Amino acid sequence: MEPYIPLILNAVGGLVIGPIVSKALGGKGGTGAIAGIVGGLAGGYGMNAAGVGFQSLLSDGALMNHLASFLNGGVGGGVIGGILGLVTKGR
């Protein structure tokens, strides 16, 4: 279960922040949640693979690593949710 915790936190971060950014840019709420989860997973995985993200900014420790996973997912979900919000704005 331990290797899946960062992925779950990435998805939750994207689920929380993705719809907020999507609604702020005028998009629909339901599609922002789905895009937030997908964007959270993709953003968290990509940031970890590239060695960038919040892990390098926060101190070591289990709680800080979990917080960094949540924030990395939130950034990815916010980006994808924002793009989807701009795309669905006119519909």
Side-chain angles (χ1 to χ4, degrees):
M1 183 68 183
E2 186 70 29
Y4 299 114
I5 292 175
L7 295 175
I8 293 169
L9 289 171
N10 285 334
V12 170
L15 180 65
V16 170
I17 297 175
I20 293 170
V21 175
S22 179
K23 283 290 232 182
L25 294 176
K28 307 288 187 261
T31 54
I34 296 167
I37 293 172
V38 173
L41 289 171
Y45 179 78
M47 286 182 192
N48 286 336
V52 297
F54 291 99
Q55 268 88 4
S56 61
L57 297 176
L58 299 175
S59 63
D60 290 335
L63 182 62
M64 289 299 152
N65 285 335
H66 294 325
L67 179 63
S69 294
F70 179 81
L71 293 174
N72 285 344
V75 168
V79 168
I80 300 296
I83 291 171
L84 192 62
L86 290 175
V87 169
T88 61
K89 189 175 186 175
R91 295 181 182 175

